Amino acid sequence: MSVQVIFVCLGNICRSPMAEGVFQHLVDEAGLSDKIQVDSAGTSSWHIGEPAHSGTRRVLSRHGISYDGRARRVRASDLSDPSTYVIAMDWDNEADLRAQFGDHLRLYRLLDFSPDSPEQDVPDPYYTGNFERVYNLVADGCQGLLVAIRRQEGI
Ligand code: 4NP
């Protein structure tokens, strides 16, 4: 049984695809790709079927990470397994998930795994345009998340 991780933001074109790409890269580097499954989705249906935002694709490729996912909306089956790690990018995403699907045992915000971060929410680069800063926050959170999952799951 592999561990499931899904990153969730609003549009699934900026932040959660970035986190999916970064986390998949870390999982691959750690040789854990057969043990950890990584996905992402959005709470809205606004960008279904679209590739990631050009800013996200650019910053990922600058860091040597390829990503070719398409946006989709989060669905109840994504949260039906209580052992799935559901990682929201900000407080709004977390509140939307709770409103749509109820409580989930392993619903976190990404920056919960960056204890030294001055922020708790990953700011939305769709509005700020600052994809590099978001990358740094996402990369920190993903590193902390992998450590936490490895410890929790004994892998
Ligand atoms: P994301 O960013 O949630 O990080 O994918 C956004 C993408 C699109 C919109 C808002 C945020 N939008 O308003 O269309």
Side-chain angles (χ1 to χ4, degrees):
M1 263 290 280
S2 53
V3 179
Q4 315 283 330
V5 180
I6 184 165
F7 296 98
V8 179
C9 64
L10 177 61
N12 193 212
I13 55 168
C14 297
R15 294 165 295 171
S16 62
M18 194 188 292
E20 181 188 355
V22 167
F23 196 69
Q24 183 68 64
H25 188 73
L26 292 175
V27 165
D28 292 346
E29 278 185 341
L32 292 170
S33 35
D34 57 335
K35 296 204 169 65
I36 303 179
Q37 304 295 314
V38 191
D39 201 353
S40 70
T43 57
S44 78
S45 54
W46 300 339
H47 296 279
I48 289 174
E50 292 179 23
H53 191 287
S54 56
T56 286
R57 283 185 283 132
R58 210 174 297 128
V59 81
L60 285 176
S61 87
R62 237 190 339 260
H63 291 272
I65 298 172
S66 63
Y67 183 82
D68 61 5
R70 298 262 168 175
R72 71 172 179 88
R73 188 174 187 170
V74 65
R75 41 183 178 255
S77 59
D78 291 318
L79 285 80
S80 58
D81 182 341
S83 69
T84 299
Y85 291 84
V86 181
I87 311 296
M89 294 297 123
D90 66 24
W91 186 89
D92 279 334
N93 308 144
E94 186 180 344
D96 284 346
L97 286 167
R98 279 191 211 286
Q100 286 183 51
F101 305 111
D103 284 337
H104 182 84
L105 182 64
R106 287 181 169 167
L107 174 55
Y108 302 102
R109 268 182 285 173
L110 181 63
L111 299 185
D112 292 343
F113 301 95
S114 293
D116 298 333
S117 169
E119 309 184 50
Q120 290 175 302
D121 289 328
V122 179
D124 197 332
Y126 190 77
Y127 302 114
T128 67
N130 196 340
F131 285 83
E132 192 65 45
R133 170 169 160 59
V134 167
Y135 178 88
N136 290 330
L137 292 171
V138 164
D140 260 16
C142 283
Q143 277 166 12
L145 175 63
L146 185 57
V147 169
I149 290 177
R150 294 189 73 162
R151 190 179 299 134
Q152 176 68 28
E153 306 293 332
I155 55 176

